[in-house]
Amino acid sequence: MDHSRAPVLEALQEFRRRGDVVFGPPGHKQGRGVDPRVADVVGRDVFRSDVLSLNGLDDRRQSQGVLAQAQELMADAVGAERAFFSTCGSSLSVKTAMLSVAGPGERLLLSRNAHKSVIAAVVVNGVEPIWVHPKFDGERHLAHPPEPEDVRRRLREHPDAKGMLLITPTDWGTCADIRDVAAVCHDFDVPLIVDEAWGAHLPFHQGLPAWGMDADADLVVTSVHKMGGAIEQSSVFHLQYDRVSAEVLKQREDLLGTTSASSLVYATLDGWRRQMVEQGHELLDTALHRARRIRARASEVPGLRPMGQEVVEEGHAADFDPLKIAIDVRDLGVSGMQASEWLRANRHVDIGGSDSCRISASITHADDDETESVLLDALRALVEHADDLEQQPPVRFPEPSALELEQGMRPRDAFFAPTEHVPAEQAAGRIAAEMISPYPPGVPVIAPGEVITAAVVDYLRSGVDHGFLIPDAADPSLKTLRVVRHR
Ligand SMILES: Cc1ncc(COP(=O)(O)O)c(C=O)c1O
């Protein structure tokens, strides 16, 4: 295929060249009506390129196949049979992917270290989750993806399960053995969905962990805005084999998706594919060298412990994305969250993720020598000033097995049941009616329907005192919890 073409960008250019006058949305009419104070901040071109697909990028009948061609090029670029763009972020794409494999009341295996959008899908879709617990790494206080044998055991226990959803890479860059998990799923003749929100760059360099389509997954969802170069909310479904029907996927996507897709998202997805096919190897090669350098220099700074390949050698993960620089800062006597706040306030460096133990910086093709030295200088400054930061009360981590909560009710039934708030001290033994997800990374510690334990409440409350943010809890202070009302 001719990857020098970019059908959406070309259609947008052509639309602008023709100077079409539009009598439909968007009401700003390609910027004619934009308040100059808005244009001053975001730029007039944003509005000029904000065009509907129908009677905009393409005609009413979509007869030029602008989007279809762009999607075919994307599929070809990453080795998928089909690709579909979504402008609603992977938060929506994972819901659609799950819905295209399991409908209401049907069972689906789900890795329990899932992002909150997956747990939300369980509530919205009414699917019955069969949790596959991740591998807890007690020293690092991290959850890594589950292993193929964990998936096989759960499929044997639940032969009626319709498929499996795996999350890889994790927010911290550790990766699953997708190929062997796919083989297990295929032994049971069910599809493997991979939430590869953090993996849009993986198809474009051999030095990166295996990419879902290459590793035999059936349906892969990526967020190109995370590690790739398209704008926020850009997400792609990739499909191969015949275990998930493209027709079913499209129809279920239509249930949830927007009828006003953003041309800016489509155009930047299209441009990212062209850039990666033409220059991806070289750009990612540079990024990989840069990440290696940053990791090496950071590890020379006393008090900083960047996670590296040892996480694979120690058997915690099957692979590791070297472009994720997760640095343990506990030796400095500060939390990752404090480090992140200090870096923003004092060095104007905004770190991608942080938790009680570490910070995480994503390195992409967009970094350069300047950003590399800004990051390293800021990290050295953090170490120099760490003693000035106030010590936070410690997080009382439970035993890893204590994080595997019993399922007392289906998540959907619990979420929509009559509820009440109980003081945290009285929550043990009650069934949660809400999600409780420290953010970032937004992986729920408690999901609706799970039986709350004293150990988990103690952990979360010590976390709040330490600085966790829990935006999805009805009471983010966790003085009370929203639980299913006693009958
Ligand atoms: C593993 C995972 N899946 C899905 C999502 C949701 O993606 P998006 O932000 O594109 O909606 C995220 C977001 O952080 C994520 O980490």
Side-chain angles (χ1 to χ4, degrees):
M1 294 185 84
D2 182 358
H3 281 284
S4 66
R5 303 291 306 275
V8 178
L9 284 164
E10 287 162 21
L12 205 46
Q13 242 174 347
E14 182 55 17
F15 172 91
R16 287 170 60 161
R17 190 198 59 74
R18 286 193 312 264
D20 283 16
V21 180
V22 175
F23 291 93
H28 59 70
K29 306 224 169 175
Q30 285 69 54
R32 283 172 211 264
V34 68
D35 182 332
R37 292 169 296 180
V38 177
D40 279 352
V41 178
V42 302
R44 209 162 271 279
D45 275 353
V46 171
F47 292 92
R48 288 206 182 105
S49 298
D50 188 25
V51 173
L52 278 192
S53 285
L54 296 184
N55 265 342
L57 283 181
D58 209 333
D59 57 30
R60 186 177 72 87
R61 296 173 191 273
Q62 306 260 54
S63 59
Q64 288 153 47
V66 172
L67 184 60
Q69 285 176 45
Q71 294 179 148
E72 279 168 28
L73 284 161
M74 177 66 89
D76 186 65
V78 301
E81 286 171 16
R82 308 283 296 269
F84 302 103
F85 294 170
S86 165
T87 65
C88 304
S90 292
S91 295
L92 206 93
S93 303
V94 288
K95 292 184 183 69
T96 303
M98 289 164 65
L99 201 53
S100 57
V101 169
E106 292 183 327
R107 292 191 165 141
L108 186 65
L109 265 62
L110 298 170
S111 176
R112 181 60 181 81
N113 61 329
H115 183 252
K116 60 192 276 96
S117 56
V118 171
I119 315 284
V122 169
V123 172
V124 173
N125 297 354
V127 77
E128 189 175 330
I130 306 298
W131 300 120
V132 185
H133 285 288
K135 288 180 68 178
F136 285 105
D137 179 341
E139 201 284 314
R140 293 184 181 83
H141 298 296
L142 273 187
H144 305 293
E147 295 198 333
E149 282 317 303
D150 303 322
V151 176
R152 187 182 297 282
R153 196 177 55 253
R154 295 301 263 162
L155 280 171
R156 278 205 188 110
E157 289 164 4
H158 298 279
D160 57 344
K162 298 289 179 188
M164 161 80 196
L165 178 126
L166 190 65
I167 292 97
T168 181
T170 63
D171 290 71
W172 310 104
T174 59
C175 299
D177 180 349
I178 305 178
R179 186 174 300 284
D180 281 4
V181 173
V184 169
C185 290
H186 298 166
D187 284 349
F188 288 80
D189 199 23
V190 293
L192 174 66
I193 308 168
V194 180
D195 173 353
E196 221 160 338
W198 285 102
H201 58 311
L202 301 182
F204 301 108
H205 198 288
Q206 295 286 320
L208 289 164
W211 140 248
M213 287 282 108
D214 289 344
D216 281 350
D218 297 272
L219 175 55
V220 175
V221 169
T222 58
S223 288
V224 180
H225 62 94
K226 288 192 190 298
M227 294 296 286
I231 63 170
E232 287 292 312
Q233 294 186 208
S234 52
S235 175
V236 184
F237 298 99
H238 307 86
L239 199 59
Q240 64 184 354
Y241 313 135
D242 54 7
R243 291 182 193 86
V244 182
S245 142
E247 180 179 298
V248 169
L249 177 67
K250 282 224 65 123
Q251 292 214 327
R252 299 198 180 170
E253 200 272 335
D254 194 41
L255 285 182
L256 298 174
T258 175
T259 50
S260 307
S262 161
S263 53
L264 292 164
V265 172
Y266 285 163
T268 54
L269 277 170
D270 200 24
W272 151 258
R273 181 266 317 154
R274 180 173 62 183
Q275 183 185 23
M276 281 299 109
V277 172
E278 292 179 347
Q279 307 152 30
H281 188 270
E282 193 188 330
L283 289 171
L284 290 167
D285 220 44
T286 306
L288 282 163
H289 279 103
R290 191 177 305 292
R292 203 168 299 136
R293 235 172 11 241
I294 294 174
R295 187 171 274 104
R297 301 224 166 116
S299 64
E300 287 161 7
V301 182
L304 300 183
R305 280 191 286 146
M307 184 165 74
Q309 194 59 26
E310 71 284 350
V311 73
V312 177
E313 283 149 19
E314 291 164 14
H316 295 293
D319 212 336
F320 173 69
D321 180 357
L323 295 183
K324 271 298 178 93
I325 315 243
I327 304 178
D328 195 321
V329 294
R330 282 176 289 176
D331 292 351
L332 297 176
V334 302
S335 73
M337 293 164 297
Q338 279 181 295
S340 160
E341 283 168 10
W342 189 92
L343 288 166
R344 179 175 160 91
N346 295 282
R347 304 300 290 218
H348 306 305
V349 166
D350 296 333
I351 286 293
S354 62
D355 67 8
S356 51
C357 305
R358 79 209 91 235
I359 53 175
S360 162
S362 301
I363 302 302
T364 73
H365 66 293
D367 283 290
D368 58 18
D369 291 350
E370 189 188 341
T371 63
E372 177 180 338
S373 70
V374 165
L375 177 61
L376 284 168
D377 289 350
L379 290 171
R380 290 185 193 108
L382 167 71
V383 172
E384 276 165 32
H385 290 87
D387 287 345
D388 308 343
L389 275 78
E390 205 178 307
Q391 294 251 333
Q392 298 297 314
V395 179
R396 290 187 291 278
F397 287 102
E399 282 300 304
S401 59
L403 291 167
E404 297 180 10
L405 299 182
E406 184 197 335
Q407 187 79 38
M409 262 173 104
R410 285 188 187 178
R412 181 191 181 96
D413 296 342
F415 191 85
F416 291 111
T419 60
E420 61 184 335
H421 280 243
V422 292
E425 301 73 31
Q426 293 166 26
R430 302 295 299 269
I431 295 179
E434 63 178 341
M435 261 194 264
I436 300 193
S437 327
Y439 209 92
V443 174
V445 172
I446 299 178
E450 287 180 339
V451 181
I452 300 167
T453 61
V456 160
V457 172
D458 186 49
Y459 158 52
L460 286 167
R461 294 208 56 200
S462 69
V464 170
D465 291 342
H466 180 84
F468 284 8
L469 295 179
I470 312 204
D472 55 6
D475 172 3
S477 74
L478 294 194
K479 290 195 176 71
T480 63
L481 282 92
R482 185 179 161 94
V483 299
V484 174
R485 195 191 302 155
H486 275 322
R487 282 167 216 278

